[in-house]
Amino acid sequence: MADDGAGILSQDEIDFLTKSLLGGGGGGAAAAPGAAAPAAAPAPVENTAEAARSFFKILCEQASSVVTTVLSRAVDFQLQWLVASESSVIPDDLANHSLRMEVNVKKDVTGNMFFAMSKQEVATLSDLMLMGSGHTDYNDDHKDAICEIVNQITGSCITVMDSQIHLSLNFEQASVSDFGGKIDLKGGAVATVLVKIEEFPDQKILIAIDESMLSGIKAKSSSKGASVGTDVSLASLGLSQSGSSGGGLSAGGGVPTGSGAPVGAPPAFSPMHSGGVFGSTGNKALDLLMDIELPIVIELGRSQMSLKRILELGPGAIVEMDRLAGEPVDILINGKVVARGEVVVVDENFGVRILSLVSPEERLKLLR
């Protein structure tokens, strides 16, 4: 410090800096000589998309459950950002080479919803669905598979949304087209979702709803807010009453304010449920289907015969098949070939050891 006093702060300047750093600045705070008065903090901007948070939350939960079951491996859809469509930001990996799966929505709310996903992510999901390795290049045959996945996701949401947020919806079949990297919805809402697939890099997708859907969800939640209890109101915010004696509120994360605020930290990603991936889907409506029995038919071969020869058949007659001895037999479910195997004997009963599943191309044809 110089002896002539250069660079020494006055007491008023020290008081001003101290109050600024500590966030003080009471009404009687002294201002630094010549310093301009600090600007008032801007008012938080309302995020109009927040009204649809419960809708997107259920959509991500059901997507995680359905895709986990379909792919037979752990998949987690984590809601990250929820903003109005005017302020939405397109991730770089979705700006080009992406697909748009659009779904029309009717009943309590009418409008359009769409999923935007990179073609590489579409190829990964589609190939895994078709029992492939997931490491494949995109081709047009994957469009049918990804539409089937989207249809299963929206179908599983119907019962859950009706029971949890009292929103009765009908989702039509998804249609697919190229995504141009722009959100053409005005006044709607856009959610950025992180998709975590076991043993694969994380990917981002977009889920968007148009203004008609957002307005309908707002109106529906407002009308229900006056008639439902506290539990439903808290559930729509992603909160639940704690079971502790204090009676406080607990939540997976804070409810953000302002446009583009992030969702709270998601639960830890577990690679596999303890009961196995098909133990429970997490969706009661879908779990009801797990006990449905499907007929499995083992086909040794086929032969075509005239009606005259059929009438001539009797004990001891031999019918020649179109398959050689030792060739794999077909395994059919609901009349569709799903695998091939060899005949074995297990405890004096016939059985079939599966040797191979049908190719992805053949399985894809079953979806059409």
Side-chain angles (χ1 to χ4, degrees), residues 73-361:
R73 66 175 62 219
V75 181
D76 197 13
F77 285 68
Q78 298 178 356
L79 180 62
Q80 289 194 311
W81 297 86
L82 178 57
V83 298
S85 60
E86 292 86 352
S87 57
S88 60
V89 178
I90 308 299
D92 293 338
D93 51 354
L94 290 177
N96 298 296
H97 307 294
S98 300
L99 290 182
R100 166 179 173 145
M101 284 66 68
E102 187 165 347
V103 179
N104 292 326
V105 184
K106 296 182 178 180
K107 208 165 183 179
D108 283 356
V109 174
T110 59
N112 293 319
M113 173 180 70
F114 75 82
F115 298 73
M117 190 178 304
S118 70
K119 290 184 177 180
Q120 185 54 51
E121 181 71 358
V122 169
T124 298
L125 291 173
S126 302
D127 193 51
L128 290 174
M129 176 184 177
L130 299 172
M131 304 298 180
S133 65
H135 302 284
T136 183
D137 294 330
Y138 170 80
N139 61 67
D140 287 340
D141 289 339
H142 292 143
K143 290 182 178 180
D144 289 335
I146 196 62
C147 281
E148 177 65 20
I149 292 176
V150 171
N151 290 336
Q152 292 193 33
I153 292 173
T154 54
S156 70
C157 290
I158 295 176
T159 303
V160 179
M161 288 188 177
D162 193 11
S163 61
Q164 291 191 12
I165 59 176
H166 304 283
L167 194 62
S168 182
L169 301 175
N170 282 337
F171 297 95
E172 296 185 354
Q173 296 293 302
S175 60
V176 62
S177 60
D178 286 336
F179 178 57
K182 294 183 179 180
I183 302 295
D184 55 359
L185 305 178
K186 294 184 178 180
V190 179
T192 302
V193 178
L194 183 67
V195 181
K196 302 174 71 71
I197 304 177
E198 184 184 1
E199 300 178 356
F200 285 85
D202 298 347
Q203 298 286 339
K204 287 185 179 179
I205 69 171
L206 296 180
I207 307 177
I209 60 176
D210 63 7
E211 182 178 10
S212 177
M213 277 196 67
L214 181 58
S215 300
I217 292 173
K218 283 182 179 179
K220 195 70 178 178
S221 60
S222 299
S223 63
K224 291 293 182 181
S227 59
V228 299
T230 305
D231 291 341
V232 176
S233 300
L234 293 174
S236 66
L237 294 175
L239 302 172
S240 61
Q241 289 194 357
S242 173
S244 61
S245 58
L249 296 178
S250 62
V255 179
T257 58
S259 179
V263 181
F269 176 64
S270 57
M272 195 67 65
H273 300 289
S274 59
V277 71
F278 291 105
S280 174
T281 65
N283 179 357
K284 293 182 179 179
L286 192 60
D287 285 342
L288 294 176
L289 303 178
M290 294 298 103
D291 292 330
I292 294 179
E293 296 183 356
L294 298 176
I296 297 180
V297 176
I298 309 302
E299 186 177 279
L300 297 176
R302 297 189 181 191
S303 180
Q304 290 186 348
M305 302 173 63
S306 65
L307 180 59
K308 178 181 179 181
R309 285 197 59 193
I310 293 176
L311 295 177
E312 291 175 350
L313 292 177
I318 297 177
V319 178
E320 184 179 357
M321 299 293 181
D322 59 355
R323 188 164 300 179
L324 298 176
E327 284 190 8
V329 297
D330 291 335
I331 304 174
L332 298 87
I333 298 180
N334 283 347
K336 304 293 184 180
V337 177
V338 297
R340 293 183 174 90
E342 61 179 359
V343 179
V344 296
V345 177
V346 182
D347 295 333
E348 299 182 358
N349 294 323
F350 282 115
V352 176
R353 179 187 292 113
I354 295 178
L355 298 177
S356 64
L357 297 169
V358 297
S359 66
E361 291 76 13

